[in-house]
């Protein structure tokens, strides 16, 4: 179960990296029209990355405290993720905005997130949280 959680976490991270790269390349960190606050985006990323490192150490060391620490890190990661999803949905529903004047950005950077990546990231994230919790509880053997 711990290896399954590691695999789903890495897949989730890959989707997250893709969206972060898209958001940054489209000017999301510069503010502009983005609906995703910079501290939320980078907080989500940092906590998820730290949690993944803790989980890798847990897989190697098999110390219960590390499993619970990783799960504890995933709770705010999930809350920040839901916050970003709630702020992304209106952008997705709005569709294409009208063309902007030269040098002006009318569309939020997150408008360029591919829906399959957003959905996959969310689904793998939920599976990861469940697997980490089950492992921390000692269910499924680790």
């Amino acid at each position: 179960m711990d290896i399954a959680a590691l695999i789903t976490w890495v897949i989730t991270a890959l989707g997250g990296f893709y969206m972060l790269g898209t958001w940054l390349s489209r000017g999301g960190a510069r503010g502009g029209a983005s609906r995703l606050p910079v501290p939320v985006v980078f907080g989500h990323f940092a906590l998820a990355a730290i949690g993944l490192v803790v989980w890798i150490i847990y897989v190697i060391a098999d110390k219960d405290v590390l499993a619970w620490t990783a799960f504890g890190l995933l709770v705010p990661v999930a809350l920040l993720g839901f916050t970003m999803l709630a702020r992304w949905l209106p952008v997705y529903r709005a569709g294409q905005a009208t063309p902007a004047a030269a040098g002006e950005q009318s569309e939020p950077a997150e408008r360029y997130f591919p829906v399959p990546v957003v959905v996959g990231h969310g689904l793998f994230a939920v599976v990861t949280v469940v697997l980490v919790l089950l492992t921390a509880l000692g269910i499924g053997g680790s």
Side-chain angles (χ1 to χ4, degrees):
M1 181 108 42
D2 55 350
I3 299 298
L6 178 62
I7 291 167
T8 60
W9 203 326
V10 168
I11 293 169
T12 304
L14 291 173
F17 279 129
Y18 180 82
M19 288 188 290
L20 179 62
T22 300
W23 187 74
L24 290 171
S25 71
R26 297 291 183 159
R30 290 188 295 266
S34 180
R35 298 198 68 221
L36 303 180
V38 173
V40 173
V41 172
F42 286 108
H44 178 78
F45 166 74
L47 290 172
I50 293 166
L52 178 56
V53 170
V54 170
W55 191 254
I56 291 168
I57 297 169
Y58 163 75
V59 169
I60 295 167
D62 196 26
K63 301 290 183 192
D64 289 344
V65 69
L66 294 172
W68 284 108
T69 301
F71 178 73
L73 287 165
L74 280 178
V75 171
V77 169
L79 293 173
L80 292 171
F82 282 123
T83 299
M84 289 188 289
L85 176 64
R87 295 181 70 96
W88 174 79
L89 283 172
V91 171
Y92 168 70
R93 289 183 182 142
Q96 287 292 107
T98 56
E104 182 182 317
Q105 181 182 352
S106 68
E107 291 185 318
E110 59 273 14
R111 173 70 186 104
Y112 297 93
F113 293 168
V115 174
V117 175
V118 173
V119 171
H121 180 73
L123 290 175
F124 275 99
V126 168
V127 171
T128 299
V129 170
V130 170
L131 289 174
V132 168
L133 176 60
L134 291 175
T135 302
L137 291 170
I139 300 172
S142 65

